Amino acid sequence: MQKGFVTEGVLERTSPQSAAALLLQLDRAGALVRELRLGVQRWARVLPQRAPDMPPPAALPKGSLRLTATVVVHAGTRGLTLEVPGAWARVELLQPALLPLLDGLARGCSPARARQLVQGGQDLVQDMLLMLLWCGLLADARRADWAAHDLLLHSRTRRGLGLVTVGKLSATPTAPVSLPTGPRTALEPGAAGDLKTALGAALARRESLREHGPVAIPLQALGRFLWHTLAAQVHEGRVRRPYPSGGGCYALQPFLVIEHCAGLNAGLYAYDALSHELILVRPHSIAQRVLMRDAARSAHSQTAAQVLLVLCADYARMRSAYGDLGYSLLLKEVGAVMQTAQLVAAALGLACCPLGTGDALRFAEAAGAEPWTLPAVGELLLGTST
């Protein structure tokens, strides 16, 4: 088996007493790769991600066969790899002659029609269909409610669903993306006395306030909010931030679109959490005004929005530490910031409203940035309360 693929018959002739037990052990460990051959020609391969969920099916279901809607297709050096995220195995197609079969199964076809679609491989179509059924690639009601991209994210970021390591891969993530250069505005640091509201009272008062008052948020109040929500602070001899981050990567970079702030010109600013400063990225522009308008619409606000906080992700930094788990951890970090922001806003008497989504491409255009280097992954509105 170390030299290459062998049939069960060869194994039984080599070691008749132990072949069956060995195959069973390998199968239960998710370590047994199977190939579908016609003569010496390889047509497909089953790549396990864990032990099989069930024995191989003995027969196909009656009626038309169809690929399940959550099938994901990857291009590889040997051909196409098909998988349903979370299924026990993937299937690698090794012959171009199988492509018409994929098209037929995507539309729905009978086994008889499937045989007609595979030129030169009609004799293996039955086994091919059984293989696809076994690996969860044919229609299955168990995952009908899932979107393919959600199922893929879930299966790649939870243990037990595959062989890929889920967890920290490197203790030294790549260096963070450099902050923009530009004029800086120093902000006053906050103090413990700013948050006089007890935690229980802040939790009770936490609310998504969509309407902003007629008075613009003062720069001092904005500075206090940023300090208690995002700033790196020294506590008992160590630097920490008010919210957790996977592996301490802190791969979120905050930006602020300022429309109305007493003591600060309108414009787009980056927030330096280490120095507690705002860096002017771009003066006020029509693109920023459109961002604010869209954010207010997203919140169903009837008043002029004052400040839009945009959380951008240093994806490369988080992925270097956590691999496929990286994006999931970034979204969890966004959630931690949102909760912290709402509690701080409740304690400071400010209006804060996290948004469900935002326009990542429009923000990149307004910031003059490449949309995949620091993509926007979270937004919230901030201002004075009515």
Side-chain angles (χ1 to χ4, degrees):
M1 293 180 73
Q2 289 180 334
K3 296 178 180 179
F5 284 85
V6 293
T7 65
E8 290 186 50
V10 171
L11 286 177
E12 289 174 354
R13 290 194 298 272
T14 304
S15 179
Q17 302 299 323
S18 60
L22 173 62
L23 290 175
L24 181 61
Q25 289 177 347
L26 291 173
D27 212 20
R28 287 179 174 175
L32 195 61
V33 178
R34 295 169 170 83
E35 273 193 353
L36 182 61
R37 294 190 178 193
L38 189 60
V40 297
Q41 193 174 43
R42 299 181 302 168
W43 282 74
R45 180 179 296 170
V46 175
L47 306 174
Q49 303 304 298
R50 61 176 186 275
D53 294 335
M54 63 192 77
L60 293 169
K62 295 181 179 180
S64 180
L65 302 175
R66 183 184 296 272
L67 290 175
T68 186
T70 52
V71 170
V72 178
V73 182
H74 309 273
T77 56
R78 290 189 291 257
L80 296 178
T81 299
L82 280 67
E83 67 168 308
V84 171
W88 75 271
R90 303 170 186 169
V91 173
E92 191 174 58
L93 304 183
L94 306 176
Q95 293 296 328
L98 289 172
L99 295 181
L101 175 63
L102 280 188
D103 180 71
L105 291 173
R107 302 167 189 269
C109 67
S110 66
R113 174 57 180 160
R115 284 179 58 86
Q116 299 173 0
L117 294 173
V118 182
Q119 297 297 319
Q122 290 86 350
D123 293 340
L124 56 72
V125 169
Q126 178 78 6
D127 290 335
M128 184 71 203
L129 293 174
L130 288 171
M131 177 188 291
L132 295 176
L133 178 64
W134 191 26
C135 296
L137 291 163
L138 297 185
D140 185 350
R142 289 178 298 172
R143 299 183 180 91
D145 294 336
W146 281 82
H149 58 279
D150 290 334
L151 195 58
L152 185 62
L153 177 63
H154 179 71
S155 66
R156 290 289 195 275
T157 56
R158 307 300 300 179
R159 293 193 182 98
L161 295 173
L163 297 178
V164 179
T165 301
V166 177
K168 197 165 189 179
L169 305 179
S170 172
T172 55
T174 58
V177 172
S178 300
L179 288 170
T181 58
R184 287 178 172 252
T185 300
L187 301 170
E188 292 185 18
D194 298 336
L195 308 179
K196 297 178 181 179
T197 305
L199 177 59
L203 286 168
R205 289 170 51 189
R206 182 206 59 76
E207 185 180 2
S208 293
L209 298 176
R210 295 165 168 78
E211 306 300 336
H212 292 174
V215 178
I217 184 172
L219 180 59
Q220 185 181 37
L222 178 60
R224 287 176 178 171
F225 171 83
L226 293 173
W227 175 266
H228 293 295
T229 302
L230 295 163
Q233 307 164 25
V234 179
H235 285 276
E236 298 179 353
R238 66 187 185 95
V239 178
R240 62 177 300 278
R241 303 196 195 195
Y243 63 95
S245 174
C249 288
Y250 289 102
L252 292 181
Q253 172 55 51
F255 288 84
L256 292 98
V257 181
I258 306 292
E259 190 77 13
H260 303 290
C261 178
L264 188 66
N265 292 330
L268 175 64
Y269 294 81
Y271 175 64
D272 188 340
L274 298 179
S275 65
H276 191 47
E277 294 178 323
L278 292 175
I279 306 168
L280 179 62
V281 178
R282 284 193 164 185
H284 191 249
S285 66
I286 294 177
Q288 294 169 33
R289 186 172 297 167
V290 172
L291 275 175
M292 295 296 287
R293 181 199 64 196
D294 289 351
R297 286 179 178 173
S298 180
H300 301 288
S301 174
Q302 303 300 316
T303 56
Q306 297 179 11
V307 176
L308 174 65
L309 173 64
V310 181
L311 300 173
C312 292
D314 188 345
Y315 175 75
R317 175 172 170 81
M318 188 64 86
R319 182 169 176 80
S320 70
Y322 284 96
D324 285 349
L325 187 58
Y327 190 70
S328 176
L329 290 179
L330 284 167
L331 298 184
K332 291 179 175 70
E333 190 170 329
V334 170
V337 172
M338 295 297 189
Q339 174 72 339
T340 303
Q342 286 219 295
L343 293 177
V344 170
L348 295 177
L350 297 173
C352 176
C353 180
L355 304 180
T357 187
D359 192 323
L361 290 179
R362 184 164 284 170
F363 176 79
E365 176 188 353
E370 202 283 320
W372 302 110
T373 301
L374 274 175
V377 293
E379 295 85 7
L380 65 83
L381 286 174
L382 182 71
T384 56
S385 59
T386 55

